[in-house]
Amino acid sequence: MRKILFIAEGNTLAHVARPAALAASLNPTEWNITLARPPRYANLLRTLPPHIHQADLIACPPEQFQTRLAKGAILYTLQELQAYVRHDQALFEDFSPDIVIGDFRISLAVSARKRGIPYVALSNAYWSPNFIRPPLAPELPFTKFLPISLANHVFAAIAPLAFQFHANPMKKLRQEYGLSNRGFTLNHAYTESDLTLYCDAPELCPTLQLGPTERLIGHVGWAPDVPLPSWWENVPNSKPIVYINLGSSGNIKNSLKILTGALNCGVTVIFATAGRKHPELPQTEQLFTTDFIPGDLVARKAAAVICNGGSPATYQSLCEGTPVLGVPANLDQHLNMYLVSQARLGQQVRSDRCSIQAIESRLSRLLNDPLARERAQAFANKTRESAATAFYRELTSSGF
């Protein structure tokens, strides 16, 4: 029986949940499966594989990671990447895997090769080196002071150099281990592996030309393994329901604006805080709050979902046939919302342009668009094949 080691990078919930869900989808009589994960978010995962290795696998603390992400700074220093490699090597010694699978565990592109272990990376298609990146600026210090069209042009001009700069720690790490850096950029740092599986639906990436080791497997669905709150049965259906969840990486400085703008549309709001401390919330009978909630069930019930624009929340909404309003801040969220907007499956308000009026206007437009839900439901009907099925197919046909 072949051994598969999944390693979850714990700085955001998505990078823990996706490998956990895929690991749990495999047949334990066919594979010897181990999921290595940090303790963070351990109580939220709905399904798990038979073998769990819980340890502190993070070299960059989550709070520091989120600060760097918000500032557009380099996410991992060379010293942190070196520590990640040491963590990886220790796991290899303990479990002797035949295949290793990581989600944003970019050190595996070095550590797995050093050990000669086939490495499968989980990522999103907009990080592919073959993705044609639009001139789109994330939230950065200068974008608050420039017109967005000008900010986009400025970012497009500096992005090639910025991507090279951000890739430098990984390039130095690769150089230490004698690996080539020819043509290596940030996109390669995030996706380079023996087999890269993008957790995206083909319908959102119709023009992407995949490389020989790249595959689209569809959205990896998951939701927190928590009971429904006591107020769940008391949520009225007399008004449209809007589900708001900014996740573990959304800008919580905007939460009061988002909530107020949504409530101004005359809706009932279900708000999940993701366990984060948000500003003081409005006091109204139309607002129901909780830390965590099974988001798939809420999205199914909602007329619209407001989220941080990241792929897990937007896919969760769209796969339930519910249109989405994204409030993206970092580049990952902006790229995902670009694809969602291009497919006419949602609206967006930039995090650095978020206001009560902007949220109210875009949400009202979404709720009053008779075709918005039809398009979302059509998307849901087209994406019926489970990512677990595609994952198994690619894993068994890879030749590893």
Side-chain angles (χ1 to χ4, degrees):
M1 188 181 294
R2 306 199 74 193
K3 296 180 180 179
I4 300 183
L5 174 63
F6 289 79
I7 304 180
E9 169 62 10
N11 277 317
T12 64
L13 178 53
H15 299 311
V16 177
R18 288 195 304 205
L22 291 175
S25 74
L26 294 176
N27 187 342
T29 65
E30 188 175 354
W31 310 86
N32 186 326
I33 307 156
T34 298
L35 170 66
R37 66 171 193 201
R40 197 177 194 216
Y41 306 124
N43 61 328
L44 299 177
L45 301 181
R46 180 174 292 178
T47 54
L48 291 169
H51 304 117
I52 302 294
H53 175 75
Q54 187 160 289
D56 185 6
L57 305 172
I58 300 174
C60 172
E63 296 74 18
Q64 190 171 40
F65 178 89
Q66 294 294 345
T67 299
R68 292 173 182 173
L69 188 64
K71 292 181 178 179
I74 289 175
L75 294 181
Y76 299 109
T77 67
L78 174 60
Q79 292 73 27
E80 288 164 347
L81 290 172
Q82 290 167 333
Y84 273 111
V85 170
R86 291 193 294 272
H87 290 321
D88 298 343
Q89 298 287 352
L91 290 171
F92 298 159
E93 289 294 330
D94 289 340
F95 298 103
S96 301
D98 298 302
I99 302 170
V100 61
I101 299 174
D103 192 321
F104 205 65
R105 186 77 174 190
I106 63 176
S107 57
L108 288 171
V110 171
S111 55
R113 279 177 169 72
K114 178 176 172 60
R115 190 67 177 256
I117 303 171
Y119 164 44
V120 178
L122 304 176
S123 187
N124 286 100
Y126 43 78
W127 289 115
S128 167
N130 298 308
F131 179 73
I132 300 175
R133 192 171 61 252
L136 188 65
E139 181 177 338
L140 294 168
F142 73 85
T143 62
K144 299 175 183 178
F145 307 106
L146 294 179
I148 291 303
S149 59
L150 179 57
N152 286 340
H153 285 299
V154 171
F155 184 75
I158 65 174
L161 288 176
F163 272 43
Q164 288 290 347
F165 176 70
H166 279 249
N168 278 339
M170 191 63 181
K171 291 169 72 173
K172 291 177 181 177
L173 182 72
R174 291 172 61 84
Q175 189 174 0
E176 285 184 8
Y177 288 92
L179 298 173
S180 171
N181 283 323
R182 184 176 181 183
F184 194 87
T185 70
L186 188 64
N187 299 82
H188 296 91
Y190 288 172
T191 63
E192 202 268 335
S193 65
D194 297 297
L195 177 65
T196 306
L197 303 180
Y198 296 124
C199 304
D200 290 286
E203 290 78 12
L204 285 194
C205 317
T207 62
L208 177 63
Q209 300 296 313
L210 294 172
T213 61
E214 297 177 306
R215 304 286 188 275
L216 289 168
I217 64 168
H219 166 57
V220 179
W222 58 269
D225 184 17
V226 294
L228 288 166
S230 58
W231 45 254
W232 176 252
E233 297 298 333
N234 298 321
V235 176
N237 294 314
S238 55
K239 298 179 180 180
I241 294 171
V242 173
Y243 172 43
I244 301 177
N245 187 346
L246 300 182
S248 61
S249 59
N251 188 346
I252 61 175
K253 293 179 180 178
N254 287 327
S255 57
L256 183 57
K257 300 174 188 175
I258 293 169
L259 285 165
T260 304
L263 289 166
N264 285 352
C265 291
V267 300
T268 296
V269 171
I270 295 175
F271 177 47
T273 67
R276 302 167 72 193
K277 187 176 181 180
H278 289 256
E280 187 175 349
L281 305 181
Q283 299 298 312
T284 170
E285 293 181 353
Q286 295 306 119
L287 175 62
F288 297 81
T289 64
T290 187
D291 282 343
F292 294 96
I293 194 169
D296 50 351
L297 298 182
V298 191
R300 198 173 305 160
K301 195 172 186 176
V305 170
I306 303 178
C307 65
N308 62 19
S311 67
T314 56
Y315 271 114
Q316 185 178 75
S317 176
L318 295 174
C319 287
E320 296 298 338
T322 304
V324 63
L325 171 58
V327 188
N330 64 54
L331 185 57
D332 185 275
Q333 295 161 356
H334 275 279
L335 290 172
N336 180 67
M337 280 310 302
Y338 168 79
L339 295 178
V340 171
S341 299
Q342 288 293 105
R344 300 178 66 205
L345 292 169
Q347 298 279 338
Q348 61 178 307
V349 173
R350 289 181 60 98
S351 177
D352 55 3
R353 296 295 193 274
C354 184
S355 67
I356 294 172
Q357 294 76 15
I359 294 295
E360 183 178 349
S361 172
R362 292 300 173 92
L363 179 59
S364 178
R365 187 185 307 176
L366 196 64
L367 292 172
N368 290 303
D369 179 358
L371 297 180
R373 193 167 190 90
E374 287 185 24
R375 288 192 292 267
Q377 290 175 336
F379 174 85
N381 291 333
K382 288 179 183 177
T383 55
R384 291 302 182 194
E385 183 186 42
S386 133
T389 302
F391 172 67
Y392 178 82
R393 181 177 64 242
E394 297 301 337
L395 196 61
T396 53
S397 64
S398 65
F400 293 154

